[in-house]
Amino acid sequence: MAVSYQTDAASDEDERDWSEWGDGDDDEATKSLFSDIILPSAQQALAHDASEHGFDLRRFRSQNKLSDYDTIRCINYIRTEVAAGRLSAETLNDKKASERPWQSDQYMHPLLPDDPLLFYDFDDEAGPELDMAGPSAEAADHATIQNLQDENQALRNTLQQMSLLALPSELTSDPCIDQLSDGKDPDWRSKWQRTAGAYWPQAEPNQLTTSQPDIHRSTDDASERINEAYFDSYGFFGIHREMIADKVRTEAYRDALQQNPSLLKGASVLDVGCGTGILSMFAAQGGASLVIGVDGSERIAGVAKRLVAANNLAAEQGGPISVVQGRLEQLAKLPVEKVDVIVSEWMGYALLFESMLDTVLYARTRWLKPGGAILPDLASLHIAAAGQGATGLTFWSSVYGFDYSLVQQELREDAHQTALLKDVSSQDMLSTTCQLRQLDIAHMTASDASFSTDFVLEPTPESCSGPQECHAFVLWFDTDFSTRFCKEHPVKLSTSPYTPQTHWCQTVLVLRKPILFGASKDQSGTKVATGIKGRFSMARSNQHRGIDMSVEYTAQYSNGSYGVSDVQIFSMTMSS
């Protein structure tokens, strides 16, 4: 399976020996897909499964026209379902090609660490074998061998990152996993099920079920600690000052609530995550007859009650506003059974960090009248390419004349897997914008927030007419108070680098290697990408309220060819 990735090269790469690479994946003990038997190599494991279980993965891959990444997903799907007792070779052979149950990106996360089947070169097995010890090795093209070495190591690194993102920390640090990772433990299944049983429900032997294991499920106590930290963080005035002082944010909500009388006049409003009560008071000014503000922070809910009273808007004073302290999902009742309008400022960094959207969707289902309004009602996530200035790392090149590049390099390496939050200047943007996802908050389900989508970015003549290095992808979001509900005065709240900055900044994904990018053709033998093609995925992290993002990308050239593909995984998590 020839999967190619870009990877940072070590300084001594050129000194690598053929023999080091030759002790490769084919010689690694490999577990059968359908039993506990360990075979000496991946090739022998495939042959065993074909002869003993009647399932030939190589033929199955060819018949179903599986891509390299489809094959990775398929292998992990088979191992996951077989381990849970939900799949056999017979039922897998009976599946129609159109079903493709392995398509979910959750199956990019390996069940077995360093599974040799994930590194097996299906495309190359029919070709002539190389004699690594013979003289032909020295005559081989060095660049080709180097690329294969880099691709192999990059794939291992990527799969290792995926496993760390997929597994709860209790599993990744368990000594049992270390024993499983060498692929030689004959008691693999029972040990895995004893270790993972607390996280993945086990089916009875031979019992088929359509449910999928939740690879992002965290323990209840860890989730509760993060919830407490989350709500406690909003109990301090600093964060509320930052949000209220964000004019783009606050005035967008003010205008939507005050300049749409046909929606607000006489309406009942639920303010989800009311904070200091500013949106509740805007709704009261907009003509709402009843406003219920709910906040999970005990301290800030108390402050909101006093602020509402100080402005003579409290229900106890004959005003429209009542403030309720508690987590909305845990409230048995509110002052009314249903409301006409739900308003919430739920968005986080990269739109979905903090996962407050789930609470808004719960409120919509539980408390909103049929046909009621939700503000904002649309949200979209966008991506574009950017230069080195967007990373903020150029600061460390030279500090008061001293070489600080060591700090820069350390931060850069960390940024290859941890998203950065930066105020990105429009002058650092290099490409067209691509919308990755639009969410209709009035109708979506929680699962719609996890997605994968393709994108294509092209250089913009005004910012990238000549070749420039693309060092990062930049993410931002827009939310709309659309004409569906705000008929008199629709409002757009944008966090784009082309509009005034907000407290959300932009989310920056730093590339391992820059891509030479521009509208001009190749110059003096240097290939210049005229486009970047990729696939972006976002999903819930295994850590509560966090998100994981992956981006697969490759350069497109004017002659129709493509560069080496790369895959990076980025995380955004909260500490408990």
Side-chain angles (χ1 to χ4, degrees):
M1 179 168 48
V3 185
S4 298
Y5 300 88
Q6 290 178 320
T7 182
D8 287 316
S11 60
D12 60 347
E13 276 183 336
D14 293 337
E15 299 177 5
R16 291 179 186 165
D17 192 286
W18 271 69
S19 61
E20 294 175 356
W21 182 65
D23 296 330
D25 305 321
D26 290 343
D27 294 326
E28 293 185 8
T30 305
K31 190 180 185 302
S32 164
L33 287 169
F34 301 99
S35 70
D36 295 330
I37 295 176
I38 307 293
L39 286 303
S41 70
Q43 189 170 14
Q44 289 174 275
L46 292 172
H48 169 84
D49 288 339
S51 63
E52 298 298 323
H53 300 283
F55 179 81
D56 190 333
L57 179 59
R58 293 164 291 196
R59 181 174 295 137
F60 187 83
R61 180 178 187 267
S62 176
Q63 290 174 343
N64 288 278
K65 296 181 173 58
L66 300 187
S67 68
D68 296 328
Y69 289 97
D70 285 334
T71 306
I72 290 175
R73 293 184 183 97
C74 185
I75 292 168
N76 290 326
Y77 163 77
I78 294 171
R79 290 208 185 279
T80 299
E81 295 300 290
V82 169
R86 292 191 288 259
L87 186 69
S88 67
E90 181 179 354
T91 56
L92 183 60
N93 278 321
D94 290 340
K95 288 188 179 296
K96 298 178 180 178
S98 58
E99 294 180 18
R100 303 176 83 87
W102 54 84
Q103 279 296 91
S104 171
D105 280 345
Q106 76 179 63
Y107 296 117
M108 283 300 289
H109 302 280
L111 184 68
L112 277 181
D114 294 325
D115 187 345
L117 285 181
L118 300 180
F119 305 101
Y120 188 75
D121 193 343
F122 289 88
D123 294 329
D124 192 51
E125 65 174 4
E129 294 183 358
L130 293 175
D131 181 4
M132 300 309 245
S136 61
E138 296 181 4
D141 181 79
H142 178 74
T144 301
I145 302 304
Q146 190 65 66
N147 284 340
L148 289 172
Q149 290 177 314
D150 290 345
E151 291 168 8
N152 183 274
Q153 186 59 47
L155 181 55
R156 286 185 177 278
N157 293 341
T158 299
L159 290 170
Q160 182 181 20
Q161 291 182 53
M162 287 177 174
S163 68
L164 291 175
L165 291 174
L167 296 175
S169 58
E170 290 86 349
L171 289 184
T172 59
S173 61
D174 196 294
C176 180
I177 300 302
D178 297 333
Q179 297 171 18
L180 300 180
S181 65
D182 63 11
K184 299 180 175 63
D185 190 338
D187 195 23
W188 172 84
R189 177 178 292 173
S190 62
K191 285 187 178 180
W192 174 259
Q193 290 181 341
R194 286 198 300 272
T195 306
Y199 302 94
W200 292 323
Q202 303 297 322
E204 293 298 321
N206 302 318
Q207 178 186 0
L208 294 179
T209 174
T210 58
S211 64
Q212 299 291 335
D214 183 0
I215 62 174
H216 295 300
R217 183 179 174 187
S218 303
T219 56
D220 291 340
D221 57 340
S223 297
E224 184 61 24
R225 288 197 304 272
I226 292 173
N227 276 334
E228 290 176 359
Y230 171 74
F231 288 114
D232 287 347
S233 72
Y234 283 89
F236 300 92
F237 294 126
I239 192 170
H240 293 280
R241 183 189 189 284
E242 181 182 32
M243 292 188 293
I244 294 172
D246 183 343
K247 292 183 65 177
V248 175
R249 163 205 180 265
T250 305
E251 292 181 4
Y253 277 88
R254 180 199 65 188
D255 294 348
L257 291 167
Q258 292 187 354
Q259 298 185 37
N260 289 284
S262 66
L263 175 65
L264 269 295
K265 189 173 182 179
S268 55
V269 178
L270 174 60
D271 180 1
V272 178
C274 67
T276 60
I278 187 72
L279 303 189
S280 294
M281 290 188 275
F282 284 155
Q285 286 185 334
S289 61
L290 173 66
V291 182
I292 306 164
V294 178
D295 200 275
S297 168
E298 182 177 1
R299 179 170 186 249
I300 212 66
V303 170
K305 289 180 181 180
R306 297 196 296 274
L307 288 173
V308 167
N311 287 276
N312 298 313
L313 293 170
E316 295 80 2
Q317 301 167 308
I321 301 178
S322 298
V323 176
V324 178
Q325 189 277 317
R327 301 181 192 178
L328 196 65
E329 296 89 341
Q330 299 174 357
L331 295 178
K333 62 179 181 178
L334 291 177
V336 293
E337 182 60 29
K338 298 285 184 178
V339 298
D340 300 302
V341 178
I342 289 176
V343 63
S344 180
E345 194 272 79
W346 54 267
M347 300 83 72
Y349 301 121
L351 183 61
L352 296 174
F353 178 60
E354 295 182 339
S355 299
M356 188 177 164
L357 177 59
D358 284 359
T359 300
V360 176
L361 299 182
Y362 172 85
R364 182 199 67 190
T365 302
R366 173 64 181 85
W367 303 107
L368 187 63
K369 293 179 181 178
I374 189 162
L375 303 178
D377 60 311
L378 298 174
S380 54
L381 184 66
H382 305 265
I383 190 171
Q388 189 172 19
T391 69
L393 297 174
T394 54
F395 170 84
W396 294 102
S397 298
S398 176
V399 178
Y400 288 94
F402 296 105
D403 181 359
Y404 268 52
S405 58
L406 289 174
V407 176
Q408 182 187 54
Q409 183 60 28
E410 184 172 333
L411 292 174
R412 184 182 300 279
E413 289 175 359
D414 184 63
H416 291 161
Q417 57 188 358
T418 303
L420 304 179
L421 300 175
K422 299 291 180 183
D423 287 328
V424 177
S425 169
S426 60
Q427 295 179 350
D428 291 317
M429 304 304 295
L430 302 179
S431 78
T432 54
T433 297
C434 181
Q435 179 175 292
L436 296 171
R437 187 73 159 177
Q438 183 174 71
L439 301 175
D440 183 345
I441 316 304
H443 298 292
M444 69 174 289
T445 63
S447 63
D448 293 331
S450 295
F451 64 92
S452 294
T453 186
D454 297 328
F455 66 88
V456 176
L457 305 176
E458 298 177 347
T460 53
E462 61 273 16
S463 61
C464 195
S465 56
Q468 296 191 46
E469 287 189 338
C470 168
H471 283 259
F473 295 126
V474 176
L475 303 176
W476 67 90
F477 66 86
D478 296 340
T479 54
D480 289 274
F481 304 78
S482 77
T483 54
R484 172 169 46 182
F485 299 128
C486 297
K487 294 178 171 56
E488 292 98 340
H489 190 80
V491 178
K492 177 183 286 291
L493 166 55
S494 178
T495 66
S496 164
Y498 298 103
T499 59
Q501 286 292 340
T502 70
H503 78 282
W504 284 286
C505 312
Q506 284 81 40
T507 301
V508 180
L509 311 179
V510 179
L511 308 187
R512 287 195 187 97
K513 285 187 176 180
I515 298 173
L516 193 60
F517 186 61
S520 61
K521 295 183 179 179
D522 301 350
Q523 298 177 356
S524 63
T526 302
K527 298 187 73 173
V528 179
T530 56
I532 299 175
K533 182 179 181 180
R535 184 166 183 81
F536 178 88
S537 301
M538 179 179 283
R540 299 170 186 270
S541 169
N542 64 324
Q543 188 189 91
H544 189 53
R545 294 191 179 272
I547 58 173
D548 292 330
M549 297 170 283
S550 70
V551 58
E552 174 191 351
Y553 56 93
T554 184
Q556 289 180 302
Y557 299 107
S558 57
N559 63 1
S561 65
Y562 293 90
V564 178
S565 178
D566 196 359
V567 175
Q568 290 180 241
I569 299 174
F570 299 87
S571 62
M572 300 180 73
T573 58
M574 295 182 62
S575 60
S576 58

